[in-house]
Amino acid sequence: AINAGARAGNVDTMVRIIKGNYTSIVRPMEAGATGLMIPHCMSAEEARQIVKMSRCQPLGRRALDMVGVDADYGLMKPEEYFRWVNEETFIVVQIEDKEAVDDIEEIADIEGIDVIFIGPLDLSHSFGIAPQFNHPKIRDAIKRLAKAVEGKSNKWWGTPTSSPDHAKELLDMGARFMTGGSDIGVILQG
């Protein structure tokens, strides 16, 4: 119902999937989600597999149902559908493990990955320094990601922000996909 309402209002919907298998990726897209956020992308090879499962030729080999919400219930021509999947949907991979930081430049070069998002809590846990979001290892990972994406007009990066000043700092570094807290955080502060 959310996707149907969003499509009627020409609003994109993003689903943060439960990482696991092909069905976790393709089902939300067939239901009309225009974006996916995939947690714990561990390597460039895994990012390539995500593209393969979520994109059509020539980028990937996503299976074709072509009668779901995403294909206007079978009314969309195949060529239009392939273009739409590759150009009008977006894939966000979350960097939440130190192994992924080692591959960050290669992940940033993969066509079909649109946004790279650092999850600082899980990343700090991976480094054994949780919950130190401002630890030099986390700051270095963010700087490394910013440099890897710099100059790529088709690629965004981001991370959660902790304050308006932090958001400005990230924007100045080139971030374009940021979160400003969680719904439960806002409720608890209220």
Side-chain angles (χ1 to χ4, degrees):
I2 293 171
N3 281 330
R7 285 177 70 87
N10 200 26
V11 174
D12 287 330
T13 55
M14 180 179 72
V15 175
R16 185 179 187 275
I17 67 165
I18 296 171
K19 184 177 172 179
N21 57 36
Y22 174 76
T23 303
S24 297
I25 288 177
V26 93
R27 284 288 188 222
M29 295 180 89
E30 287 176 345
T34 50
L36 293 182
M37 183 174 241
I38 293 98
H40 291 279
C41 177
M42 299 290 286
S43 66
E45 182 53 37
E46 184 174 348
R48 283 187 200 89
Q49 289 302 313
I50 291 165
V51 170
K52 184 176 180 179
M53 290 185 280
S54 63
R55 302 295 188 172
C56 293
Q57 287 284 0
L59 296 177
R61 296 210 324 244
R62 176 180 159 184
L64 304 173
D65 182 25
M66 304 251 349
V67 295
V69 175
D70 62 331
D72 292 334
Y73 301 102
L75 299 175
M76 193 181 286
K77 293 180 181 175
E79 302 79 22
E80 182 183 348
Y81 178 76
F82 301 156
R83 184 204 58 76
W84 182 83
V85 166
N86 287 344
E87 295 177 14
E88 301 297 330
T89 61
F90 62 98
I91 301 298
V92 181
V93 292
Q94 291 184 258
I95 304 301
E96 300 176 289
D97 301 276
K98 60 184 177 180
E99 296 87 349
V101 174
D102 293 339
D103 267 2
I104 201 73
E105 291 82 9
E106 194 173 348
I107 292 169
D109 283 337
I110 296 171
E111 188 177 0
I113 299 296
D114 302 296
V115 181
I116 304 169
F117 188 84
I118 286 189
L121 180 58
D122 283 335
L123 186 57
S124 70
H125 186 248
S126 173
F127 281 119
I129 55 172
Q132 299 178 55
F133 300 152
N134 283 321
H135 190 280
K137 288 182 179 183
I138 303 304
R139 295 186 69 74
D140 287 348
I142 291 170
K143 288 176 188 172
R144 191 169 167 185
L145 174 57
K147 185 173 172 60
V149 174
E150 188 176 49
K152 292 179 170 71
S153 62
N154 64 339
K155 193 87 56 183
W156 288 12
W157 72 272
T159 191
T161 63
S162 57
S163 69
D165 289 338
H166 185 226
K168 169 110 175 58
E169 176 189 341
L170 293 168
L171 284 167
D172 289 345
M173 291 173 64
R176 294 296 178 262
F177 191 92
M178 297 177 291
T179 60
S182 66
D183 51 358
I184 193 68
V186 171
I187 291 169
L188 291 172
Q189 289 176 8

